[in-house]
Structure formats: C-alpha cells, structure tokens
Amino acid sequence: MDFLVKIFKALANSHRIELLHILRDGEKEISDIARKLRLPYKTVARDLKILERTNLILSRRWKGVVYYSLRNEDHFEYNKVLFNLIEKRYERSKK
C-alpha cells in the first residue's frame, strides 16, 4: 500500500504528469524536457528524481548526458484510466 501512496504523491503535481506525457513519446534528455515544459532545469531535475524514486521512469547516462524514459507503459495506461475516472467524478460534482 505504501507503494501506491508514493505514486499518488508523485503524481500530485501537474508538471510531473506533463513530464510523463512527454516521456511517452520516447527517451528524452533533461534539457529537452525543461524546454518543452518551459520550466527551470532545477525544477525538472527535482521532478525527475521524484518520479525515478517511485519507479515510474528510468534514467541512463551516456557520454555525460542523462536520458530519461518511462519504466513501463502499463503505468501510463493505469494513470490514464485513473485520471479519466477522477475527471468524470469532478465533472459530476460541478452539476
């Protein structure tokens, strides 16, 4: 159960969710991610570390550059289902 709590905490930030969407297209270098999100490098680096600690993403170093990718596409699909459910309930609560 602690694992789920860590994942939900990691996903409780809109930048991290956007980051996962970017990585869905494939492996990216941190500068590319920061540019796409229009966020400071340090902010993106912190968010990547949080996602990496929850095992949602992987990192690899090549020639001094760190590349990040999704660990498992299944995590993304699970989150998509969860977010759709939350969005539907939110829409119902507004009526």
Side-chain angles (χ1 to χ4, degrees):
M1 201 58 143
D2 287 340
F3 175 71
L4 286 175
V5 171
K6 287 178 184 178
I7 288 177
F8 285 124
K9 283 183 179 181
L11 296 175
N13 177 298
S14 63
H15 296 146
R16 291 184 208 128
I17 294 169
E18 288 179 65
L19 201 153
L20 290 173
H21 281 280
I22 289 170
L23 291 178
R24 189 171 182 212
D25 294 332
E27 185 177 71
K28 301 279 187 283
E29 191 264 323
I30 189 168
S31 296
D32 293 336
I33 297 168
R35 196 170 24 263
K36 285 185 180 191
L37 291 175
R38 295 184 178 142
L39 291 173
Y41 184 94
K42 286 183 179 183
T43 301
V44 174
R46 183 199 64 220
D47 287 343
L48 286 165
K49 287 295 174 198
I50 290 168
L51 292 171
E52 191 172 23
R53 281 193 299 259
T54 59
N55 291 317
L56 291 172
I57 64 172
L58 291 170
S59 67
R60 73 172 181 92
R61 185 175 297 276
W62 189 68
K63 293 187 177 184
V65 178
V66 180
Y67 294 89
Y68 293 89
S69 61
L70 290 178
R71 177 174 288 277
N72 186 335
E73 202 57 40
D74 293 340
H75 285 302
F76 191 82
E77 292 304 316
Y78 172 77
N79 292 329
K80 193 164 86 173
V81 169
L82 179 64
F83 292 132
N84 285 339
L85 176 64
I86 291 169
E87 186 175 68
K88 285 179 186 177
R89 293 211 175 158
Y90 174 73
E91 290 299 322
R92 281 190 221 146
S93 72
K94 290 186 348 183
K95 292 180 183 179

